[in-house]
Amino acid sequence: MYSNYITIMKQAYKINTRSLIISTSFTLLLLIPVLIMKPDTLLAERFFPGSGWIEVSLLAIYAGWLSQVMINTKNISNIRVKYWFFFSVIFFTQFLLGLFVNDKFLMTGDLHLPIPALIVAAPIFRGEGFFMPILLISTLAIVGPAWCSSLCYIGSWDNLASLKNRPKKVNRKQTIILRYLMIVLVVAVALVLKCVGASLTAIAVFAIAFGLFGVFIMLYFSRKLGYMLHCTTYCPVGGVVTLLGKLYPVRVKIDQNTCTNCNICSSHCKYDALSNEDINAGKAGWNCTLCGDCLTSCHASSISFSFFGMKKNVWEVYMAIVVGTHAAFLALARL
Ligand code: SF4
Ligand code: SF4
Ligand code: SF4
């Protein structure tokens, strides 16, 4: 009885030093330069000058704790949904406080519409405002396509909407074509609006209508299909992320020697990246965002995260980097 208790306590407090160090260091690495060069970017500094280091330290501790929870593959899908949504809540709470209470809550002091498609469309229309595209590309260099599975303030909603049902089969070819047509469409519309000299009000109406239709897609289609249709077809940033994410060296691999072809992982992937063909080919499909949910679902531990095709499973390191970036995003990626 006593020895059982000790074992449970040991397991409960088992610390994975490597992921702890990586996640906290990543948060500090991303936030300390901000604290030194542009402290006002941090919310604490805007209200209590000189207190930014407290915010940075708390976020680093949070990242360390989260990495310890996520190290257990059984927790991945459940906890990722929660921390991703937590970010979205913080983001939109700050947005609303900035709108209705105090504009200090808005990072730039100016209002920007929280619609990811604008990351692509706004710089084309305005010929300036490259902060978000630069943030996106820098983040892709750090975490690859996990922008669309852990970091975007809207994607979390699509994820939640799709949780209600198990994924239904979709026509992958059609969804991929649709996804890239959306990028072309959004770029074309931004160019046309620029050429005709559309007013900012007209642009805002356009963008809000686009965003609201996206919410309708989540609530109706993603919910019904159990699949993140909004993020895999409608949002143009998703297409860019998947495309550029292919430059990132981490990939999902399936060990054909241990895989039992049970297809359970397939019914846990909300991005349609684990069809029968993908499983038989031993790798995730085109839409994979490196979310890690399939690790939770595989009873045979056949799925791993590989770096440059190497055999070693790098999930632990990759997850710690994503978690560290997520903690830094809590401080940075606000409007
Ligand atoms: S596809 Fe668009 S809305 Fe979805 S997570 Fe990616 S950027 Fe966000
Ligand atoms: S294949 Fe796995 S890691 Fe990739 S999106 Fe699907 S569940 Fe996530
Ligand atoms: S859940 Fe695991 S064992 Fe089953 S098909 Fe997927 S990879 Fe293979």
Side-chain angles (χ1 to χ4, degrees), residues 89-328:
V89 169
I90 295 286
F91 182 94
F92 282 101
T93 305
Q94 190 168 338
F95 174 59
L96 294 175
L97 288 172
L99 275 188
F100 300 113
V101 180
N102 186 336
D103 60 10
K104 269 190 186 177
F105 282 101
L106 302 174
M107 189 188 271
T108 57
D110 298 326
L111 176 62
H112 296 274
L113 293 173
I115 300 163
L118 290 178
I119 300 175
V120 172
I124 295 172
F125 176 73
R126 294 204 303 237
E128 57 171 22
F130 292 97
F131 173 75
M132 282 308 288
I134 291 170
L135 178 72
L136 174 68
I137 290 169
S138 322
T139 311
L140 287 177
I142 300 170
V143 298
W147 171 284
C148 284
S149 57
S150 292
L151 301 174
C152 165
Y153 45 85
I154 290 284
S156 158
W157 300 8
D158 201 30
N159 189 220
L160 284 179
S162 70
L163 286 182
K164 177 101 174 92
N165 292 306
R166 287 266 179 250
K168 301 212 172 32
K169 204 162 171 47
V170 288
N171 185 320
R172 185 180 292 179
K173 214 172 178 182
Q174 281 175 6
T175 54
I176 292 179
I177 292 173
L178 197 57
R179 153 171 267 187
Y180 291 101
L181 277 179
M182 283 307 293
I183 300 180
V184 175
L185 188 70
V186 167
V187 170
V189 169
L191 283 172
V192 170
L193 291 174
K194 184 182 170 70
C195 291
V196 300
S199 68
L200 279 179
T201 315
I203 305 290
V205 169
F206 226 100
I208 291 170
F210 185 89
L212 289 177
F213 190 65
V215 174
F216 165 73
I217 291 179
M218 293 177 202
L219 294 178
Y220 187 73
F221 291 104
S222 298
R223 193 165 175 274
K224 205 169 157 191
L225 293 171
Y227 158 74
M228 293 172 66
L229 192 79
H230 171 274
C231 287
T232 52
T233 58
Y234 185 68
C235 174
V237 180
V240 174
V241 166
T242 314
L243 205 59
L244 295 181
K246 297 296 169 230
L247 298 173
Y248 196 72
V250 175
R251 298 277 187 280
V252 166
K253 290 267 175 237
I254 300 159
D255 182 354
Q256 299 296 290
N257 296 320
T258 54
C259 173
T260 59
N261 276 94
C262 65
N263 275 355
I264 292 174
C265 53
S266 192
S267 64
H268 283 78
C269 180
K270 297 292 182 184
Y271 298 87
D272 183 36
L274 283 175
S275 64
N276 277 347
E277 295 76 40
D278 299 321
I279 294 169
N280 289 333
K283 57 183 186 188
W286 179 258
N287 280 347
C288 177
T289 58
L290 300 178
C291 72
D293 288 5
C294 47
L295 296 177
T296 303
S297 66
C298 182
H299 60 92
S301 303
S302 303
I303 304 179
S304 62
F305 276 45
S306 118
F307 181 71
F308 277 120
M310 288 180 221
K311 262 199 165 170
K312 194 170 165 44
N313 186 3
V314 295
W315 161 253
E316 182 185 303
V317 174
Y318 177 70
M319 170 277 294
I321 294 173
V322 173
V323 160
T325 312
H326 153 72

